[in-house]
Amino acid sequence: MKFAFWSFFRRRRNRSETVFVGAKFIRTDSLGGGDLRLCSPLCRLGRAPDNDIRFDNDSVSGHHAEIYHLPDGTFQICDLDSTNGTWVNRQQVRTKILKNGDILELGEVRLHFRAGDD
């Protein structure tokens, strides 16, 4: 499967720079809770310490998935060949455009996607 490579693909931001991109996840699994804001146009999720959003859960791969804020304003999730897969609304995906209210599962971690600045 081919992925669209945008100009910011794999470009990591300086950790001292924080730019919120108008979207967040609400963690709703039993192991955690709260809001997780996307803080750059490329946001990596996983268990490893160098991820933008880190989950301390063995069911999540070290580098599990990436979220891209695309030039047209949409958000896309891409699985990074994770062990347990990336699921959106109970369907396993390699890449998918996210919609407000989508439910993501990375292993045992469940997240609700919210687009907008609320």
Side-chain angles (χ1 to χ4, degrees):
M1 173 177 279
K2 293 247 182 203
F3 294 101
F5 293 103
W6 302 96
S7 59
F8 53 77
F9 186 75
R10 298 265 189 233
R11 187 178 77 212
R12 307 304 299 166
R13 66 177 164 70
N14 182 335
R15 289 276 182 197
S16 64
E17 297 173 18
T18 302
V19 179
F20 295 109
V21 294
K24 66 181 176 182
F25 292 110
I26 301 169
R27 188 166 177 184
T28 60
D29 58 82
S30 61
L31 301 174
D35 293 357
L36 304 167
R37 291 191 148 300
L38 300 182
C39 53
S40 70
L42 166 58
C43 190
R44 189 168 33 191
L45 293 76
R47 194 177 69 243
D50 63 338
N51 287 296
D52 298 298
I53 297 178
R54 185 175 180 274
F55 302 104
D56 188 20
N57 186 302
D58 289 341
S59 69
V60 177
S61 293
H63 297 109
H64 199 104
E66 289 180 335
I67 306 289
Y68 305 103
H69 186 200
L70 302 178
D72 66 1
T74 60
F75 293 87
Q76 179 181 28
I77 189 164
C78 294
D79 183 75
L80 298 176
D81 295 324
S82 62
T83 302
N84 291 319
T86 298
W87 300 74
V88 177
N89 300 325
R90 298 185 179 205
Q91 293 183 355
Q92 191 169 13
V93 300
R94 292 279 301 146
T95 182
K96 180 156 179 71
I97 299 295
L98 297 175
K99 296 182 180 115
N100 194 35
D102 280 348
I103 299 172
L104 282 72
E105 292 174 284
L106 311 175
E108 297 170 350
V109 172
R110 178 176 281 187
L111 307 164
H112 290 239
F113 178 72
R114 296 286 185 248
D117 295 324
D118 57 353

